[in-house]
């Protein structure tokens, strides 16, 4: 659906922005999108593989984890390491 692409694109833009060192001054309720366990396994892979390419991360995770969840975990991680 179009909406999903839009959310994905927004996440990508914010990630780009945050990874360049800009601060984002809004809060996202990440708990709506992934559990602590999901966050943990995604972050482990991100730290192994890096987050420049999402596809290898996605392929190394359980199939029920979505691209958007991966991007949101990366976003949360980037936002926290920027504060």
């Amino acid at each position: 659906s179009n909406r999903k692409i839009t959310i994905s694109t927004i996440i990508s833009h914010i990630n780009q922005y945050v990874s360049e060192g800009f601060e984002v001054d809004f809060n996202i309720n990440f708990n709506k999108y992934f559990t602590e366990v999901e966050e943990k396994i995604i972050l482990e892979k991100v730290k192994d593989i890096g987050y420049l390419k999402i596809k290898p991360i996605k392929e190394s995770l359980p199939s029920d984890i979505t691209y958007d969840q991966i991007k949101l975990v990366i976003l949360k991680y980037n936002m926290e390491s920027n504060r």
Side-chain angles (χ1 to χ4, degrees):
S1 74
N2 282 345
R3 183 173 149 72
K4 201 156 177 51
I5 293 167
T6 311
I7 290 171
S8 236
T9 308
I10 290 168
I11 295 167
S12 298
H13 285 309
I14 298 171
N15 262 325
Q16 179 68 39
Y17 188 74
V18 170
S19 67
E20 288 172 8
F22 293 100
E23 268 197 43
V24 179
D25 61 353
F26 55 85
N27 288 310
I28 298 167
N29 179 11
F30 290 103
N31 304 334
K32 282 198 313 208
Y33 303 104
F34 49 78
T35 65
E36 274 181 41
V37 173
E38 287 167 337
E39 178 178 10
K40 194 164 171 282
I41 58 173
I42 293 170
L43 263 184
E44 277 168 13
K45 294 296 177 188
V46 168
K47 286 174 180 170
D48 280 350
I49 298 169
Y51 58 78
L52 296 176
K53 290 202 158 59
I54 305 290
K55 197 174 182 195
I57 300 168
K58 172 86 171 97
E59 285 169 353
S60 68
L61 287 164
S63 58
D64 58 334
I65 289 185
T66 68
Y67 274 99
D68 280 353
Q69 285 176 311
I70 296 166
K71 290 180 178 179
L72 283 162
V73 167
I74 293 169
L75 177 59
K76 181 179 179 192
Y77 177 73
N78 277 337
M79 284 172 72
E80 284 172 356
S81 57
N82 250 26
R83 293 234 154 105

